[in-house]
Amino acid sequence: MGEGSPRPRVWSIAAHRGFADALVAGLIPRYREDRFGLARLTLLLPSQRAVRTVTEAFIRASGQGLLLPRMAVVGDLDLDETLGPLLDPIGEGTGIPEAVDPVWRLLRLARILGDVLGAEAPGEAALLRQARGLAQGIDRLLVEGIHPLQLLDEQVVGIASDLSVHWIENTRIFATVFTIWQAELSAMGRIDAPERRNRLLEHAAQAWRAVPPAHPVIAAGVTSASPAVAKLLRVVADMPDGGVILPDLDLALDQEVWDALGSAGGSEGDVFERGDVVTHPQYHLKLLLNRMGIAREEVQPWHRAGLSPAPPERSRAISNLFLPPEASTVWVALDARDRRLSGVRSMESANPEEEAQAIAVLVREALAEPERRVAVITPDRSLAARVVANLGRWNIVADDTAGRPLPQTAAGRVFLQMAELVAERVAPVALLALLGHPLVQPGEGRAAWLERVRQLDLVLRGPRPGPGLPAIRQSVEKAEPRHPGLTEWWSGVEDLLFPLVSLEGAIGLDTALVALAEAGEALCGTGLWAQADGRCLAQFVERWREAAGAVPSQVDCADLPALLRDAMDEISVRPPWGGHPRLAIYGLLEARMSRADLVICGGLTEGTWPGNPAPDPLLAPPILRALGIPGADFRIGLSAHDLAAALGAPEVVLSHARRDATGPAIPSRFILRIQAMLADQLRLESRAVEFAQALANADPVAPHPQPHPMPSAEQRRVPIAVTALDRLRGDPYQFYASAILALRSLDPIDADPTPAWKGTAVHDVLKVWHEAGGKPGELVPIAERMFDEMSAHPFMRTMWKPRLINALLWIEAETDRLAGEGREVLAVERKGEIVVDGIRIHGRADRIDTLADGTLAIVDYKTGMPPSAKMVEEGFSLQLGLIGLIAREGGMSGVTGEPARFEYWSLGRNKERGFGYMKSPVKDSGNRSALLPEDFVPETERFLREAIAKWLLGNDPFTARLNPDLPGYSDYDQLMRLDEWQGRERKGDAGGDAA
């Protein structure tokens, strides 16, 4: 780096050298002439992550203590402070206004956009989402130095007029909002952050051009091609003791290929012309050089190498790999040395989980070697999280340096859960998720707290209760006998949730944030804000609360979770300290300038690396091209450059999965290029995949045989419910699971109304009606009130409730008609029991009527289709017969007489009328092939005694699905492992073990 060179001082560090380590290896000998040489050096770097990377490189290379150079981030809004005296006098004398707060800006843009859209404006969450896209579009224009008036240039207007209607309308909206916003900023004396950055960079360039700094300034790794950055870099390159060091500029690329990349801003007219190969990894560097006014021939190679350089021929192979399509025809004639990627392997996995496990295996093996550094690079944060989790198998602590989105952290999730609780008006799923969150009620009392949450979980099973806390309290109070003390505990929960009670309808965003913060602290204590995610959440709440107070924003409670999630997704929580010292997991931005002995590039599929181009939602690509703004494909070139830099490591593994969460995945175009160029010379990494499969796939287990439990004689002597005899005869295993093991299936939380639930609801309504006298005209009002109290589920309100009301009207009319024939209701929901062969038979009669001749009619209400007479004749569906047997034997209080009629009153669809009809399982006028009424009870008693003798007093096994063709319940199918043996029981061993 000799002084007084007549040409600009610009260097390029080849990919195989390792940028940060090679940079430091060249800077230390040049500037460490005395103790303070490096301290007088100023390094301009592209990002804060680059500052950390270069700092670590200095530490590795120093071997002893040294004073580091001053490091400043190009584009930092506080550039004047970070560069300090080098820019004196900058301060107030420059006249550069302060940048407007980005959150306030977003809210204000949303208000302007809402005014422009008028009646077509969406809800607050969707409006903010559109405003966020609009703000990003404005930033893209400002970075390139585009003024709003340039949108009205004749060329732009001419292009816009040829576009489709929606593009014309979107362009109009964008230009209108942009113009109004710039006028407001001018009136405030503020500017946008990108414009402030541009002005700071321009000021530094002017100051240094007029009076170069007394101490050296080096810009390293800066590849942004924005005009302001390019001007500053040109000034730094022209300094007597300055310089610009670029990463991975391909100096060996043939001039014809370099020219084929396109003009890249080097010609008059459009910056990005049609035919420019913007997806090439060198394109953005060519654009930067053109804007700096420097030819590629003026760039010198950097001859220092880092601690982990790859073979020099690697850079040539990388250059050939990314040749444009026309130039890639030379692959067929390339010498072996020009395509050699000896340290590069390709790894293909079946799915992302297997890919993450295979990557973890490679990391585990590499870290076993002393001093070996490993880097995992992937733009897929989900894959990164899987790798971190799989490394935990070996107690390897790894941190994703790209961070985790705030909503995926513990503090962010509990904050969103409170918003969801408000939006869903204390729905059971949202409530239980919040109360069971790990941050809620920490400390010694957490075990007792979780026990109460589990009890509340059991109470809220089934269809959703009414909205709000009072409906939950009503359910809790009903369950107090089963869970003593639950009501008192729930009172305390209501106190904790009190700040959220008043949030209904449209509320101020600042009010909502304050209420959520108060409730969060009440539930979690100060621990909510204690960790890194909590501190990020606190900053988020404070910034948005202040901005929302300055820009009044009304948001509907239903939109609150979506609004907060969108805003919080933009915040990454990075670990305050690292995990394993020789392992790093990077995103693409964080990986720039880094180097390791082994680099694993994961997620190399189309749509991930490179990502899908996302066009601007408001400005059409032809307009962006006319304005000189990079299009969506420009980012593909940046992704290619990131991969080219990663390929410069000594050992590289390129990993992709054949499938992702949505279906088959297409390998990245970069992987396909490597396969095409290397053909059979490309090494495949299969051993790590085999290890991953061995870890994930357990040894196969033989299918479970059909179970036939054999409980002891004492265990068999259990009561039989009138509804359980069918199970005992049809599927003895289900009776065994329910009556002997006492297992019960749980309804889902916030479930759709099931037939069983509807049946219980109808029985409760009819019981109340009959106890109130069963008068005509009173049933429907009672049902309306009770159904509203029982469930607020939308299915209940819109579908089931009208049907049930229609059927209940039929029941009311039929009861009144039968009363005119001398039939009276004798008992409703009456319990009874008898003992048969020493076994207690018990049940509840839905309804028993007294006929005119003194005999009894046994009635059972059904919400669906009643069982057929054939089922009864075969010895199944004997509930009515058992009820009749209990009544005949005097097992029911206040009920005497001989059963003569047996009726199912169904609430199902009736062909002749809406809903509701009567059906008998025995012979009558409508059913002439069934059992005679007088034979029904004796036959039922015979089937009952046979079942008792075989299974309860005998030793027959409780075989699963003894009658496989018989329709039944599926509550215990998983317990009996039905899918493992059904259809195989006759092919192999039909034996089985007790469940």
Side-chain angles (χ1 to χ4, degrees):
M1 298 175 66
E3 298 183 7
S5 177
R7 64 180 181 179
R9 299 161 58 84
V10 183
W11 291 265
S12 172
I13 298 179
H16 73 274
R17 296 183 181 275
F19 188 87
D21 290 319
L23 171 70
V24 169
L27 293 179
I28 289 180
R30 173 65 180 86
Y31 294 105
R32 199 176 181 183
E33 298 175 357
D34 55 57
R35 291 184 301 168
F36 302 106
L38 277 174
R40 287 194 288 268
L41 171 66
T42 297
L43 278 180
L44 300 181
L45 299 172
S47 65
Q48 290 293 341
R49 178 66 207 178
V51 172
R52 179 176 173 179
T53 300
V54 172
T55 300
E56 293 171 350
F58 271 113
I59 294 173
R60 286 193 296 270
S62 65
Q64 56 183 332
L66 80 166
L67 292 175
L68 294 177
R70 178 189 291 112
M71 301 184 202
V73 176
V74 172
D76 195 330
L77 294 181
D78 297 321
L79 187 68
D80 47 347
E81 296 181 9
T82 57
L83 291 183
L86 288 180
L87 294 178
D88 281 347
I90 188 168
E92 300 177 357
T94 62
I96 300 177
E98 292 295 321
V100 72
D101 178 73
V103 179
W104 183 91
R105 174 202 193 208
L106 177 63
L107 294 175
R108 185 63 197 135
L109 283 174
R111 296 275 67 77
I112 297 173
L113 180 60
D115 293 340
V116 172
L117 294 177
E120 298 180 358
E124 189 68 18
L127 189 64
L128 276 173
R129 198 173 295 125
Q130 293 183 15
R132 191 172 285 109
L134 191 146
Q136 292 170 353
I138 291 175
D139 287 346
R140 294 177 69 184
L141 265 62
L142 293 177
V143 165
E144 298 294 327
I146 305 298
H147 190 273
L149 292 178
Q150 292 179 250
L151 291 170
L152 302 178
D153 286 351
E154 183 177 349
Q155 180 186 10
V156 176
V157 172
I159 292 174
S161 62
D162 294 333
L163 299 175
S164 59
V165 175
H166 84 278
W167 279 122
I168 295 175
E169 179 63 15
N170 287 351
T171 305
R172 183 193 66 81
I173 292 173
F174 182 88
T176 302
V177 175
F178 193 7
T179 303
I180 296 174
W181 171 243
Q182 292 295 307
E184 288 194 7
L185 286 179
S186 178
M188 294 167 53
R190 296 289 186 93
I191 55 177
D192 283 309
E195 186 174 353
R196 173 173 168 80
R197 187 196 75 155
N198 288 347
R199 294 192 188 185
L200 287 172
L201 294 174
E202 290 171 359
H203 171 80
Q206 292 173 2
W208 287 346
R209 184 180 295 110
V211 182
H215 302 297
V217 177
I218 299 293
V222 180
T223 58
S224 170
S226 69
V229 171
K231 291 177 183 177
L232 178 63
L233 294 183
R234 178 57 196 253
V235 171
V236 173
D238 289 337
M239 290 180 184
D241 202 6
V244 174
I245 305 173
L246 300 175
D248 313 327
L249 177 64
D250 190 353
L251 300 179
L253 191 66
D254 292 343
Q255 186 62 40
E256 292 182 359
V257 178
W258 180 259
D259 295 338
L261 296 182
S263 62
S267 63
E268 298 294 332
D270 293 344
V271 175
F272 302 94
E273 296 182 345
R274 292 186 181 276
D276 280 11
V277 189
V278 296
T279 59
H280 193 276
Q282 295 294 309
Y283 184 86
H284 69 291
L285 293 175
K286 182 174 184 179
L287 176 62
L288 175 60
L289 289 179
N290 286 340
R291 286 182 168 177
M292 290 174 64
I294 294 176
R296 185 174 60 133
E297 294 75 17
E298 298 180 275
V299 181
Q300 308 170 57
W302 187 268
H303 294 295
R304 292 280 185 171
L307 297 178
S308 302
E313 60 268 19
R314 178 71 61 82
S315 290
R316 184 62 182 169
I318 294 173
S319 175
N320 290 325
L321 174 65
F322 290 102
L323 288 174
E326 295 80 4
S328 63
T329 55
V330 302
W331 285 352
V332 295
L334 280 179
D335 292 338
R337 61 185 179 86
D338 290 333
R339 70 169 79 205
R340 183 177 295 124
L341 291 172
S342 55
V344 178
R345 310 193 300 276
S346 176
M347 184 172 73
E348 182 180 79
S349 309
N351 51 63
E353 179 55 40
E354 185 176 284
E355 180 182 11
Q357 184 65 269
I359 291 174
V361 168
L362 292 172
V363 172
R364 170 69 179 83
E365 289 182 334
L367 292 179
E369 301 180 27
E371 299 185 3
R372 187 167 171 81
R373 292 182 294 150
V374 184
V376 178
I377 304 174
T378 176
D380 186 349
R381 305 308 351 124
S382 174
L383 178 63
R386 291 173 187 259
V387 172
V388 171
N390 281 303
L391 286 171
R393 179 193 298 268
W394 300 290
N395 295 321
I396 297 175
V397 180
D399 290 320
D400 183 359
T401 56
R404 297 172 61 197
L406 182 55
Q408 296 181 17
T409 65
R413 185 65 199 134
V414 75
F415 198 76
L416 284 178
Q417 284 173 339
M418 289 186 293
E420 290 166 0
L421 189 72
V422 172
E424 299 184 20
R425 303 183 68 184
V426 201
V429 173
L431 175 65
L432 293 171
L434 173 62
L435 297 182
H437 191 281
L439 291 182
V440 173
Q441 295 298 303
E444 297 180 356
R446 178 161 175 79
W449 171 272
L450 289 179
E451 181 60 31
R452 290 298 188 185
V453 174
R454 294 186 190 101
Q455 293 175 1
L456 182 63
D457 178 291
L458 295 175
V459 170
L460 297 180
R461 293 275 169 172
R464 178 186 299 188
L469 295 175
I472 303 294
R473 169 170 282 278
Q474 185 179 7
S475 300
V476 169
E477 290 175 346
K478 289 181 180 178
E480 180 67 20
R482 300 196 309 271
H483 306 291
L486 187 61
T487 303
E488 181 181 356
W489 173 81
W490 175 250
S491 298
V493 174
E494 289 179 326
D495 293 339
L496 296 175
L497 298 177
F498 178 77
L500 306 180
V501 173
S502 61
L503 300 183
E504 291 186 5
I507 55 175
L509 180 56
D510 55 340
T511 302
L513 289 169
V514 170
L516 292 173
E518 291 178 357
E521 194 158 334
L523 286 166
C524 308
T526 56
L528 176 62
W529 323 107
Q531 303 302 318
D533 56 342
R535 292 189 288 273
C536 286
L537 177 63
Q539 294 172 4
F540 166 81
V541 171
E542 189 61 22
R543 290 187 65 185
W544 276 77
R545 184 193 62 79
E546 290 182 2
V551 183
S553 302
Q554 293 290 311
V555 56
D556 191 277
C557 285
D559 291 338
L560 188 58
L563 185 152
L564 293 177
R565 187 179 293 106
D566 288 344
M568 293 165 66
D569 271 334
E570 296 185 335
I571 301 175
S572 291
V573 180
R574 291 178 170 82
W577 52 82
H580 197 286
R582 293 186 285 119
L583 169 63
I585 298 180
Y586 296 124
L588 297 189
L589 292 176
E590 291 75 23
R592 293 172 184 172
M593 301 178 63
S594 64
R595 175 50 60 95
D597 300 293
L598 169 63
V599 173
I600 305 171
C601 300
L604 279 164
T605 57
E606 285 296 304
T608 302
W609 191 351
N612 289 324
D616 192 291
L618 294 175
L619 295 179
I623 293 180
L624 292 175
R625 191 181 304 113
L627 293 171
I629 307 297
D633 288 346
F634 187 76
R635 289 196 167 276
I636 296 178
L638 299 180
S639 296
H641 191 261
D642 291 330
L643 181 62
L647 286 171
E651 186 178 354
V652 182
V653 175
L654 306 175
S655 173
H656 73 280
R658 293 190 295 271
R659 295 183 64 89
D660 58 18
T662 60
I666 301 174
S668 169
R669 65 192 69 186
F670 308 139
I671 287 283
L672 298 178
R673 274 181 162 268
I674 293 174
Q675 293 173 348
M677 188 179 82
L678 297 186
D680 56 358
Q681 295 182 19
L682 178 62
R683 294 175 54 198
L684 301 179
E685 175 57 61
S686 58
R687 194 172 59 91
V689 177
E690 292 171 358
F691 282 156
Q693 293 171 345
L695 288 170
N697 300 331
D699 293 334
V701 178
H704 196 276
Q706 182 179 16
H708 55 219
M710 294 285 290
S712 65
E714 181 181 357
Q715 292 172 327
R716 290 171 180 261
R717 298 183 67 89
V718 294
I720 300 178
V722 295
T723 56
L725 180 59
D726 300 339
R727 288 192 179 190
L728 179 58
R729 290 179 52 78
D731 190 349
Y733 186 91
Q734 292 208 35
F735 180 88
Y736 164 78
S738 61
I740 297 177
L741 297 183
L743 298 176
R744 299 289 183 270
S745 62
L746 292 176
D747 288 333
I749 301 172
D750 208 354
D752 296 341
T754 62
W757 182 90
K758 288 184 290 180
T760 302
V762 168
H763 283 72
D764 291 344
V765 168
L766 291 171
K767 179 182 178 182
V768 171
W769 177 59
H770 283 299
E771 290 177 348
K775 298 178 182 178
E778 294 184 355
L779 179 55
V780 171
I782 292 174
E784 293 270 8
R785 173 178 56 82
M786 294 186 65
F787 286 157
D788 288 341
E789 293 174 355
M790 290 176 186
S791 175
H793 197 285
F795 274 7
M796 185 64 201
R797 292 195 301 267
T798 60
M799 182 180 296
W800 301 122
K801 181 178 172 181
R803 295 183 179 185
L804 295 178
I805 292 295
N806 189 295
L808 289 174
L809 285 172
W810 171 82
I811 290 177
E812 185 178 50
E814 186 69 10
T815 301
D816 186 55
R817 183 185 68 81
L818 294 174
E821 299 177 0
R823 178 167 166 171
E824 297 180 359
V825 177
L826 177 62
V828 176
E829 299 294 325
R830 184 68 54 85
K831 293 181 179 180
E833 63 178 57
I834 58 174
V835 177
V836 177
D837 295 341
I839 302 297
R840 185 170 73 95
I841 312 300
H842 64 95
R844 184 197 305 266
D846 291 352
R847 172 175 156 184
I848 299 178
D849 293 354
T850 301
L851 302 179
D853 60 359
T855 57
L856 303 177
I858 311 298
V859 177
D860 185 53
Y861 296 120
K862 293 290 185 183
T863 55
M865 180 180 296
S868 66
K870 183 179 179 181
M871 293 279 291
V872 174
E873 196 171 4
E874 293 176 352
F876 305 105
S877 301
L878 301 175
Q879 179 182 353
L880 286 180
L882 288 175
I883 293 292
L885 179 62
I886 295 174
R888 188 191 71 180
E889 300 298 324
M892 288 186 180
S893 175
V895 177
T896 57
E898 185 69 24
R901 291 188 61 82
F902 304 91
E903 300 169 349
Y904 289 112
W905 286 31
S906 174
L907 279 67
R909 184 178 295 276
N910 187 342
K911 295 180 180 179
E912 299 178 359
R913 58 179 308 279
F915 293 88
Y917 62 91
M918 181 192 301
K919 182 178 180 180
S920 176
V922 296
K923 182 176 290 187
D924 60 8
S925 59
N927 189 8
R928 300 185 181 276
S929 62
L931 288 172
L932 294 172
E934 58 268 23
D935 294 336
F936 186 28
V937 172
E939 280 294 292
T940 298
E941 184 177 3
R942 181 176 68 84
F943 286 129
L944 173 64
R945 293 184 184 276
E946 286 181 359
I948 291 175
K950 289 178 65 175
W951 286 290
L952 301 193
L953 302 181
N955 59 359
D956 276 22
F958 289 82
T959 305
R961 292 294 171 95
L962 185 62
N963 298 281
D965 298 329
L966 186 70
Y969 297 95
S970 59
D971 293 348
Y972 305 101
D973 284 359
Q974 186 177 13
L975 182 66
M976 67 175 69
R977 298 166 73 164
L978 179 67
D979 292 339
E980 295 186 42
W981 56 264
Q982 190 175 42
R984 301 188 182 98
E985 62 269 20
R986 293 183 179 86
K987 299 178 182 179
D989 181 15
D993 301 325

